[in-house]
Amino acid sequence: MKLLLVEDNHSLNKDIQEYLIENGFTVETAFNLLEASEKLSVYKYDALIIDIGLPDGSGLELIKQAKKDKINSAILILTAKDKLEDKLEGLNLGADDYMTKPFHKAELNARLRSILRRNLFDRDNKIAAGEIEIDLITAEVKIKSKDIILTKKEFDLLLYFIHNKNRVLTKESIAEHLWGDHADQSDNFDFIYNHIKNLRKKITNAGGKNYITAMYGMGYKFTIK
């Protein structure tokens, strides 16, 4: 997942960037509105983290640019504690969520992953695929109304499969989605097989169908007829 972090406080910018990289994201940074606008016009990002109070203008202008250019990145805005009007305007412009400074980085990570999951499915909070029901807010997964417990990687893998249902996904694309730039540090993709095997087993043990098919020499396909 590739992010653009727009924050003019250099210390906070670096702190957030390092934390998100440790949690598997690819993070580019900008320190002002002009720099952020230029990057947004050239590169594609899965999510934008935008500080409203920038030295050369309001971060709200970046949201307007994104919507005008039909950029479908998830958007999380950062605001000062006493700026309620900025929060409301940001949400009205199309931001998915906001956080008030100061905040805990763990909460930032959780909220970011939540809006990214919703953004994959046109911002719906609940999705269904065959017998599988998923609540994207609570991260609960049910098979025929029965709860199944997935690890974080299994949950992300399931969402990626459902988002790309009936398409062949290469091992490389799965690894890049789950591990970002860290994926190319592995000599092979045996870990992909193990995650898929465990996910398939949990689904079928709960009474679900075997949706995941290995395509020899190509990758995997999640099939829903």
Side-chain angles (χ1 to χ4, degrees), residues 1-5 16-29 45-49 74 76 105-117 152-153 156 175-183 185:
M1 292 287 187
K2 188 176 182 179
L3 315 178
L4 176 61
L5 169 63
I16 294 174
Q17 181 190 30
E18 290 177 349
Y19 177 80
L20 292 176
I21 289 174
E22 288 173 359
N23 280 271
F25 292 103
T26 299
V27 185
E28 292 189 2
T29 62
Y45 301 97
D46 295 292
L48 313 174
I49 305 173
L76 176 65
K105 294 192 292 293
E107 183 182 1
L108 172 65
N109 183 37
R111 294 228 194 161
L112 189 56
R113 292 187 183 281
S114 178
I115 65 173
L116 281 166
R117 290 194 295 263
K152 180 186 173 304
K153 291 299 185 187
D156 289 343
E176 183 178 354
H177 178 78
L178 295 182
W179 281 272
D181 287 352
H182 300 293
Q185 298 175 8

Side-chain angles (χ1 to χ4, degrees), residues 40-188:
L40 190 60
S41 65
V42 176
Y43 303 108
K44 182 179 180 181
Y45 301 97
D46 295 292
L48 313 174
I49 305 173
I50 304 173
D51 181 22
I52 298 299
L54 297 172
D56 56 344
S58 170
L60 296 173
E61 295 302 317
L62 199 63
I63 302 176
K64 293 177 182 177
Q65 176 187 341
K67 297 306 176 181
K68 178 182 177 182
D69 296 341
K70 301 187 184 323
I71 295 171
N72 197 38
S73 305
I75 300 175
L76 176 65
I77 57 177
L78 307 178
T79 71
K81 184 176 293 186
D82 59 346
K83 295 292 185 180
L84 176 60
E85 64 275 13
D86 285 344
K87 302 171 189 175
L88 296 178
E89 185 175 358
L91 293 173
N92 288 333
L93 287 173
D96 297 281
D97 202 354
Y98 70 85
M99 293 190 68
T100 301
K101 298 179 183 179
F103 52 80
H104 293 288
K105 294 192 292 293
E107 183 182 1
L108 172 65
N109 183 37
R111 294 228 194 161
L112 189 56
R113 292 187 183 281
S114 178
I115 65 173
L116 281 166
R117 290 194 295 263
R118 297 202 308 269
N119 203 44
L120 282 176
F121 300 97
D122 297 322
R123 293 172 169 81
D124 286 337
N125 292 327
K126 294 186 177 182
I127 59 173
E131 304 147 308
I132 304 171
E133 298 176 353
I134 303 175
D135 188 319
L136 296 177
I137 300 295
T138 62
E140 293 178 340
V141 180
K142 295 178 182 292
I143 305 289
K144 297 181 178 179
S145 300
K146 178 182 178 181
D147 290 322
I148 64 171
I149 306 301
L150 303 180
T151 66
K152 180 186 173 304
K153 291 299 185 187
E154 291 165 357
F155 183 76
D156 289 343
L157 178 61
L158 177 59
L159 290 183
Y160 189 54
F161 271 132
I162 293 175
H163 180 62
N164 294 280
K165 60 182 179 294
N166 302 324
R167 299 178 186 172
V168 177
L169 299 177
T170 65
K171 294 179 181 178
E172 290 81 2
S173 69
I174 295 171
E176 183 178 354
H177 178 78
L178 295 182
W179 281 272
D181 287 352
H182 300 293
D184 58 8
Q185 298 175 8
S186 176
D187 294 332
N188 58 61

Side-chain angles (χ1 to χ4, degrees), residues 168 171 193 196 200 210-222:
V168 177
K171 294 179 181 178
Y193 169 76
I196 290 175
R200 182 192 285 127
N210 180 15
Y211 295 97
I212 306 170
T213 304
M215 310 296 290
Y216 183 75
M218 300 172 66
Y220 295 89
K221 181 192 285 190
F222 189 95

Side-chain angles (χ1 to χ4, degrees), residues 199-214:
L199 175 61
R200 182 192 285 127
K201 183 177 180 180
K202 289 181 180 180
I203 292 174
T204 55
N205 283 352
K209 299 176 183 177
N210 180 15
Y211 295 97
I212 306 170
T213 304

